[in-house]
Amino acid sequence: MPFNQPPPQLGNQYEDDRALRSLLARMLPGEVLREVEPRLRSLGALAGDELYQQQLSERLVEPKLTQWDAWGNRIDRIELTPLWQRARELSIEYGLVATAYERAYGLHSRTVQFALVHLFGPSTDVYNCPLAMTDGAAKALVAAGNGDLIERAVPRLISRDPAQAWTSGQWMTESTGGSDVGQAETIARRGEHGAWRLYGRKWFTSAATSDMALTLARPEGNAAGGRGLALFYLETRDAEGRYNGITIHRLKDKLGTRKVPTGELTLDATQAELVAGEDEGVKHIAPMLNITRLWNSVSAVAFMRRAVALARDYARRRVAFGAALAQKPLHLDTLAGLQAETEAALHLTFFVAELLGKEECAALRPDELHLLRALTPIAKLTTGKQVVSVVSEAMECFGGAGYVEDTGLPQLLRDAQVLPIWEGTTNVLALDFLRTAAAAQMPLRKLIQHCCAAVQDERLRRAVETIQATAQRSENWIGNASAGGAEQLEAGARRYALTVGRTVAAALLCRHAQWSLQHESDARAALACRRFVANGIDLLGNIDLANSRALALDERPVAFPGASVASSAG
Ligand code: MFK
């Protein structure tokens, strides 16, 4: 018999996730946890078995766009993969969007929702994408206070009835770009009886199969830029099922998220309704962006968790150089670093989810509101960077097998790679964080102090000292950079934002570690905290824009000062 390597296997993805279960045990009141655990357990079982197997067996199946029928009629029919069809049913049954709006668990509803999403995501081929936008659309419509649209669309977006439930698209990106949305070229014209019609090309529409979409367009005569755009609501089909002036040209040929039917489409006299006034569209769509950004963070954590679960299982099975990988010191050190990154990301993300849940129950203090605004982009950009590096490293834990398509492992890396890109790239979000940094500085300082003060265990003292020192360095940096001018501030924004993200994540993990030592007699979160801090949380370094320009553009530097060459961060 030739030697065959054993494939990795997954167990119940709730029961096996010690870090998630410990977090929920601290965050949720006992009666809430008791009520939701059967659902978490059953979704965890599906995710680790049936859905995962279906995912592997459908590896090569992709959504299909058929533009014409046999008789020459333009139909633009998109067929979803079978797993996506199953994911739709399950998302409705498990209330992956509904849970947040039903508020059955009061201010803990978001925590419960995102625990479900965390289990569901990695086994459903990025069906999180339409769910995130559906949640975001409900949030934006409610925030805009448009009674008609709230009545018409929100009950469908949050429905638990498959016959009623809708998903929404978020159609922002045009060929002018996905970041500087203010350049959008879609025009809105008011027709007879004051009805609006849209004309333009949307270049990256996920997912093109949605029942409705929120989109940006410029009412004719409005000023250029983001403020001249208005936020519109449209339904993709009329009562007879015909497209509402929408032509789908093709599905995007993407590196990953290949099961997501992302379309390029044209709007031609598409009927639409204003959501909230005739301008300030970017501002009105921001509540949607903040929700999708949090979904992005949860998806990043979930992908990390999946990659580590597979690599851990494999380490116990795979024998090389005379022993299982799980016995090899260097392999253990590698896996430990990945687990620590995953746990820190989990605590950062679910802290934001907890703040959101409180905000929706009017239970947030004003300083926490600033935290929610600031930590939403911070969690997204921090976890977006972590997930690519963790999943890539986890692939390496399989050696060549991790690089082979029919193991299903490469898809994980390709899908993870979208997370730092869509919903605001790392740099765009770092700049978004800067908008909020002044108001958030004091609340962030208080949060870190509060977390550190909760830690009494001596074994965590050095980690706490590093967290406090890094937080102080960040404050010094932003103070100096603000005084140094706009260019200096912008040049360091990414390093600053990532340092804040990693510092807050470490502080939250440390606080949880103390709780877990006391209430669960479990030192694993403490080990994760120490390891995460040792992985490095300070990415500030010295920033010298002139040197960066010389390096970035490969030009001879005007000067070659010593200090910036000694920069400590990469
Ligand atoms: C698993 C999860 C999956 C999710 C799947 C989704 C798939 C969809 C694929 C996509 O659509 S990807 C494209 C996503 N595009 C983005 O995320 C846009 C990225 N760019 C930004 O976020 C820019 O910062 C932004 C477009 C918002 C900048 O535009 P502007 O026109 O320069 O806006 P400006 O002037 O900075 O802000 C206008 C107002 O909005 C300001 O308020 P005020 O008028 O009161 O000053 C801002 O404070 C406010 N604002 C902007 N961003 C905000 C916000 N308010 C709250 N939260 C925010 N995030």
Side-chain angles (χ1 to χ4, degrees):
M1 274 287 278
F3 173 78
N4 284 329
Q5 290 177 25
Q9 288 175 18
L10 293 174
N12 183 309
Q13 289 303 284
Y14 174 67
E15 282 170 6
D16 288 356
D17 194 339
R18 184 259 315 156
L20 175 71
R21 285 174 44 216
S22 176
L23 173 133
L24 294 179
R26 178 177 58 77
M27 277 191 168
L28 297 180
E31 68 277 10
V32 172
L33 186 56
R34 274 191 294 282
E35 192 177 328
V36 300
E37 252 195 332
R39 248 185 309 149
L40 292 166
R41 196 162 275 127
S42 85
L43 194 52
L46 280 172
D49 187 9
E50 197 181 310
L51 294 173
Y52 179 54
Q53 294 308 328
Q54 187 173 354
Q55 192 175 36
L56 291 176
S57 72
E58 282 181 27
R59 191 176 57 80
L60 297 176
V61 184
E62 295 194 349
K64 191 168 152 223
L65 170 64
T66 305
Q67 288 172 312
W68 305 95
D69 74 5
W71 307 102
N73 299 303
R74 185 80 194 227
I75 51 170
D76 290 353
R77 192 183 61 233
I78 297 174
E79 221 172 294
L80 297 174
T81 66
L83 180 54
W84 260 50
Q85 293 171 37
R86 177 97 172 99
R88 176 181 186 270
E89 288 164 14
L90 287 172
S91 67
I92 295 167
E93 180 188 334
Y94 280 85
L96 289 187
V97 176
T99 302
Y101 294 85
E102 292 163 351
R103 308 255 159 87
Y105 312 109
L107 44 87
H108 305 289
S109 300
R110 284 285 181 184
T111 306
V112 172
Q113 175 201 18
F114 283 119
L116 292 164
V117 172
H118 175 79
L119 299 172
F120 177 84
S123 293
T124 46
D125 285 343
V126 199
Y127 193 75
N128 275 2
C129 169
L131 295 178
M133 295 186 294
T134 300
D135 189 349
K139 181 81 176 176
L141 290 175
V142 170
N146 182 326
D148 282 352
L149 294 182
I150 291 174
E151 204 176 311
R152 190 165 356 140
V154 173
R156 287 181 174 271
L157 296 173
I158 66 172
S159 176
R160 284 191 188 252
D161 175 359
Q164 295 295 316
W166 277 0
T167 57
S168 175
Q170 169 190 311
W171 297 356
M172 288 170 66
T173 301
E174 302 195 2
S175 39
T176 46
S179 296
D180 186 2
V181 171
Q183 292 190 52
E185 292 174 330
T186 297
I187 294 293
R189 278 193 200 119
R190 212 194 280 268
E192 71 274 24
H193 315 304
W196 289 93
R197 290 188 181 266
L198 309 186
Y199 302 83
R201 186 169 64 154
K202 296 290 173 181
W203 189 238
F204 217 103
T205 54
S206 301
T209 43
S210 58
D211 303 280
M212 59 157 279
L214 293 187
T215 192
L216 296 172
R218 195 175 313 280
E220 266 183 323
N222 269 19
R227 297 201 189 276
L229 293 170
L231 178 59
F232 284 92
Y233 162 93
L234 62 86
E235 291 172 16
T236 49
R237 291 176 185 271
D238 65 17
E240 278 73 50
R242 287 178 305 235
Y243 273 119
N244 172 15
I246 296 169
T247 308
I248 301 176
H249 300 293
R250 60 175 171 171
L251 299 183
K252 289 285 193 192
D253 186 8
K254 296 165 290 174
L255 171 75
T257 67
R258 294 192 65 92
K259 316 298 169 116
V260 181
T262 305
E264 288 171 15
L265 55 84
T266 302
L267 306 177
D268 184 16
T270 303
Q271 291 184 40
E273 290 178 45
L274 283 170
V275 174
E278 293 186 22
D279 55 11
E280 301 284 8
V282 168
K283 188 170 169 160
H284 293 307
I285 206 168
M288 182 174 200
L289 296 183
N290 290 335
I291 292 293
T292 52
R293 286 169 185 173
L294 181 52
W295 274 78
N296 203 94
S297 305
V298 176
S299 302
V301 177
F303 272 139
M304 285 186 246
R305 153 76 196 147
R306 170 59 52 89
V308 173
L310 290 167
R312 177 179 293 137
D313 181 78
Y314 189 67
R316 294 197 175 108
R317 297 172 190 277
R318 169 77 170 128
V319 174
F321 300 110
L325 294 179
Q327 307 302 325
K328 303 277 180 191
L330 183 51
H331 198 77
L332 291 175
D333 180 64
T334 306
L335 279 180
L338 304 184
Q339 175 66 22
E341 291 292 322
T342 306
E343 287 193 44
L346 175 79
H347 284 275
L348 176 60
T349 298
F350 275 79
F351 179 70
V352 181
E354 188 179 40
L355 289 175
L356 178 64
K358 283 185 178 174
E359 185 244 340
E360 290 174 337
C361 291
L364 265 197
R365 299 188 309 266
D367 60 322
E368 289 178 318
L369 259 180
H370 291 303
L371 276 183
L372 175 60
R373 173 70 182 92
L375 289 180
T376 301
I378 283 290
K380 197 281 187 183
L381 68 87
T382 304
T383 59
K385 280 294 167 207
Q386 286 176 295
V387 67
V388 174
S389 122
V390 165
V391 173
S392 169
E393 194 66 69
M395 297 302 93
E396 201 177 324
C397 292
F398 293 88
Y403 200 63
V404 170
E405 288 290 354
D406 55 2
T407 61
L409 297 166
Q411 183 184 323
L412 197 54
L413 181 56
R414 281 199 300 267
D415 287 349
Q417 181 62 68
V418 82
L419 296 171
I421 295 177
W422 68 7
E423 294 313 303
T425 61
T426 309
N427 284 1
V428 166
L429 290 178
L431 297 175
D432 183 50
F433 171 59
L434 279 191
R435 279 198 199 97
T436 72
Q441 187 163 2
M442 195 55 81
L444 281 171
R445 184 191 298 166
K446 271 174 55 186
L447 171 67
I448 290 169
Q449 280 173 353
H450 179 77
C451 289
C452 290
V455 180
Q456 296 112 32
D457 196 287
E458 263 304 293
R459 293 164 293 182
L460 289 167
R461 192 168 53 81
R462 279 186 56 195
V464 165
E465 283 168 6
T466 307
I467 292 166
Q468 287 170 323
T470 310
Q472 187 58 56
R473 258 173 65 70
S474 293
E475 284 202 17
N476 296 346
W477 183 85
I478 185 83
N480 294 336
S482 304
E487 280 205 334
Q488 189 66 22
L489 195 58
E490 179 170 331
R494 171 202 278 249
R495 291 164 182 245
Y496 171 59
L498 283 168
T499 302
V500 170
R502 292 183 71 80
T503 309
V504 172
L508 293 165
L509 179 54
C510 227
R511 180 179 68 175
H512 181 78
Q514 177 68 46
W515 179 89
S516 186
L517 282 167
Q518 270 169 255
H519 294 86
E520 302 177 315
S521 302
D522 193 334
R524 285 174 286 185
L527 294 175
C529 174
R530 292 203 310 207
R531 177 58 191 258
F532 180 68
V533 171
N535 283 354
I537 58 173
D538 181 349
L539 305 183
L540 285 167
N542 296 326
I543 314 269
D544 182 315
L545 190 53
N547 287 351
S548 298
R549 185 169 289 125
L551 266 180
L553 304 178
D554 200 22
E555 293 170 351
R556 284 182 190 281
V558 183
F560 181 40
S564 54
V565 177
S567 165
S568 61

